[in-house]
Amino acid sequence: MRATVFGATGVIGQALLPLLADENEVVAVSRGARAAEDGIRWVEADVAAGEGVAAALEGADVAYYLVHSLGARDFERQDRDAARSVSREASRAGVEQIVYLGGLGGDDPDASAHLRSRRETGEHLASDGVPVTTLRAAMVVGRGSAAFETILGLVKRLPVMITPSWVSTPTQPIALDDVARYLAGVAGNAAAIGEAFDAGGPEVMTYRQMIERIAVLLGKRPRIIEVPVLTPALSALWLELVTPVNASVARPLVEGLRNPTIAREERLRQLLPFELTPFDAAARQALEA
Amino acid sequence: MSKHPLRAWETSERVLESGGFESRQRVVVTEPAVEPSDSGARWLGVTYWRSVAGFTRGVVRASWREGGGRLKLLGGANLLTFGPPAVAVDGDTVSCRYAIQGGLLALRPGGSVTLAQRAVGSEYELTVTVEEYLPTLAARAGAPWWTGALYAKGQSPFHAAVSRRYFELLVRGRAA
């Protein structure tokens, strides 16, 4: 099987490539030139501009779509254009399956613009008839994941945190290795073609609990004071001040934190059963990476 | 018109022999709101607490830590405290139960709130059941007369309205 991976240089893509390369011919897509690696051929393409997409998909059976424009001012438009470009070229190339990593919470009637855009991206990918397999995940626990780095930045730098009410929103983080394993497992899997699955981790927790558990791993004991009056804009600016995450990335993330991001069903766990990594182990692994 | 209208809305309340209150709200829907799994059960609980926050525009909101949750007024006063969610799945019946552990609105620890979905024929019944709860505001011997009025005219209808919103949110989320 030949798999083309868009977004191959990102955190998820980098974890997925070695899993795919074990058994498949892999074409990894990047905006810049890269040297070939074992079992992986790198090609240049820009999904936002639609350049090089057709060539990247030539001969592909499966296309992975791990791209997002978070941080761009008009991320919704960019995500839509990029997804439509890949959908169109995948259809022309005769691709049999598109695998897309979206976000939990996007179906919420009150979903934030970021989560809504993640859901709509899946719909745009399906617009030219290629069956899409969507995995919906909450925070991915791994080094380089924007959401995880945001939480980590807070814990490392602040002994006292004045937090908005989103710290009480429940979420179901998943380890980077586990989400990569799920992504690899659905490729060419007949039961997954055209289906959407919730990809939750093994534990449900609030962001407050997550902060407290990471703090324990770091040997810290931050004091958390929850206030009901911090707006997303103020929260994003504040996050930019105290964490390494840019405000343009933090703002859509913070807006999404008001929506619960937990799995509503367990079909993926039944389809691909394996022991999921506990949060503390995943966080420890990320801290040591 | 809603794609999944709530049918057979009922709300009832009674005082048990133990002195505790039992309150129950229910609706019937044609499609299951959640799947019969732990995740489905957890979703019932998550949706309920979102309904409380949504109905009060964030004035009353649940805050969770290891070991349980607190229903807070304006982020401060603890109106009620709860144990962690206990999820259960038995065939087509799925539920999420929270033990009431105290708070300003509980005369003593005890009782529970249970969110459930069960199959009834070809349809599904969604319920909110409060059992063995002893409200601080309920009329009782020795208490000022107005406490009973506050419960009957305030807390009780408030709870029923939240339940109604919870059912709507649950079904709307399913339809999304």
Side-chain angles (χ1 to χ4, degrees):
Chain A
M1 191 170 73
R2 178 186 279 192
T4 296
V5 181
F6 292 97
T9 55
V11 175
I12 313 283
Q14 287 293 293
L16 174 64
L17 289 180
L19 299 183
L20 290 178
D22 278 349
E23 295 178 5
N24 306 285
E25 186 184 341
V26 179
V27 174
V29 182
S30 161
R31 273 183 289 189
R34 285 192 166 217
E37 300 165 34
D38 267 355
I40 300 166
R41 180 167 65 88
W42 285 89
V43 301
E44 281 184 71
D46 184 337
V47 289
E51 293 165 1
V53 175
L57 286 166
E58 202 177 308
D61 302 299
V62 177
Y64 280 91
Y65 190 84
L66 308 174
V67 177
H68 67 77
S69 308
L70 200 61
R73 186 182 294 246
D74 56 347
F75 67 89
E76 290 167 280
R77 185 188 62 76
Q78 288 195 27
D79 278 338
R80 182 193 63 219
D81 292 350
R84 283 187 176 170
S85 160
V86 169
S87 169
R88 189 171 53 246
E89 297 304 337
S91 178
R92 283 180 186 157
V95 171
E96 291 167 13
Q97 180 189 23
I98 296 174
V99 179
Y100 168 58
L101 181 63
L104 280 168
D107 288 342
D108 193 321
D110 306 317
S112 69
H114 166 53
L115 293 177
R116 200 171 54 240
S117 172
R118 303 300 294 151
R119 187 196 72 219
E120 288 168 357
T121 296
E123 293 165 3
H124 294 312
L125 285 170
S127 58
D128 289 281
V130 179
V132 175
T133 299
T134 300
L135 305 193
R136 296 180 288 241
M139 175 193 285
V140 173
V141 183
R143 198 48 133 178
S145 153
F148 181 72
E149 294 291 343
T150 302
I151 298 288
L152 193 56
L154 287 173
V155 177
K156 279 185 171 173
R157 294 163 200 222
L158 295 180
V160 178
M161 296 183 206
I162 297 173
T163 60
S165 53
W166 56 252
V167 290
S168 284
T169 304
T171 186
Q172 198 167 353
I174 184 167
L176 175 59
D177 289 350
D178 292 347
V179 83
R181 204 166 157 186
Y182 275 144
L183 284 165
V186 296
N189 189 323
I193 306 279
E195 294 288 327
F197 301 94
D198 289 353
E203 297 159 85
V204 173
M205 63 188 73
T206 62
Y207 289 98
R208 180 190 191 108
Q209 290 168 319
M210 191 186 296
I211 288 169
E212 288 169 345
R213 289 173 70 165
I214 292 174
V216 168
L217 294 175
L218 292 171
K220 292 177 179 286
R221 292 187 64 182
R223 182 166 161 70
I224 300 170
I225 301 164
E226 196 177 324
V227 295
V229 289
L230 262 180
T231 65
L234 281 174
S235 298
L237 285 172
W238 175 71
L239 284 174
E240 187 179 34
L241 277 175
V242 298
T243 73
V245 178
N246 189 287
S248 60
V249 173
R251 171 134 196 196
L253 279 179
V254 168
E255 285 174 344
L257 296 180
R258 72 167 188 258
N259 300 108
T261 45
I262 71 167
R264 281 197 275 183
E265 46 88 6
E266 299 173 0
R267 291 179 302 128
L268 190 59
R269 290 181 82 160
Q270 289 154 13
L271 183 67
L272 300 170
F274 62 87
E275 195 169 337
L276 292 165
T277 312
F279 176 79
D280 287 356
R284 197 175 294 115
Q285 206 173 338
L287 293 172
E288 290 166 357
Chain B
M1 194 172 138
S2 170
K3 193 176 167 187
H4 294 280
L6 303 177
R7 290 193 302 102
W9 158 260
E10 283 177 16
T11 180
S12 62
E13 189 173 64
R14 66 191 178 113
V15 180
L16 304 172
E17 281 183 16
S18 62
F21 276 53
E22 181 186 271
S23 160
R24 187 169 185 272
Q25 290 76 42
R26 58 95 79 166
V27 291
V28 172
V29 291
T30 51
E31 299 287 331
V34 294
E35 69 165 27
S37 68
D38 285 358
S39 292
R42 268 195 297 268
W43 189 255
L44 295 177
V46 165
T47 306
Y48 183 76
W49 299 117
R50 287 195 75 202
S51 307
V52 174
F55 187 74
T56 61
R57 297 187 178 272
V59 172
V60 178
R61 181 186 289 276
S63 174
W64 297 90
R65 301 182 185 194
E66 300 292 343
R70 299 170 185 186
L71 193 61
K72 290 184 171 184
L73 177 66
L74 291 170
N78 285 330
L79 298 179
L80 288 168
T81 59
F82 296 94
V87 297
V89 181
D90 181 10
D92 280 335
T93 300
V94 54
S95 67
C96 183
R97 179 181 179 275
Y98 298 87
I100 297 170
Q101 296 182 333
L104 292 172
L105 294 179
L107 198 59
R108 56 165 169 72
S112 62
V113 180
T114 304
L115 302 320
Q117 170 186 280
R118 71 183 182 103
V120 181
S122 61
E123 297 184 311
Y124 295 84
E125 182 189 55
L126 303 173
T127 55
V128 177
T129 308
V130 177
E131 288 173 300
E132 293 291 356
Y133 165 53
L134 208 53
T136 306
L137 295 178
R140 62 184 188 280
W145 65 269
W146 49 264
T147 58
L150 274 178
Y151 181 81
K153 302 291 183 190
Q155 188 179 346
S156 179
F158 170 85
H159 169 70
V162 166
S163 296
R164 175 114 196 159
R165 183 178 173 104
Y166 156 70
F167 295 138
E168 287 167 356
L169 197 56
L170 203 55
V171 172
R172 195 155 55 105
R174 180 67 187 174

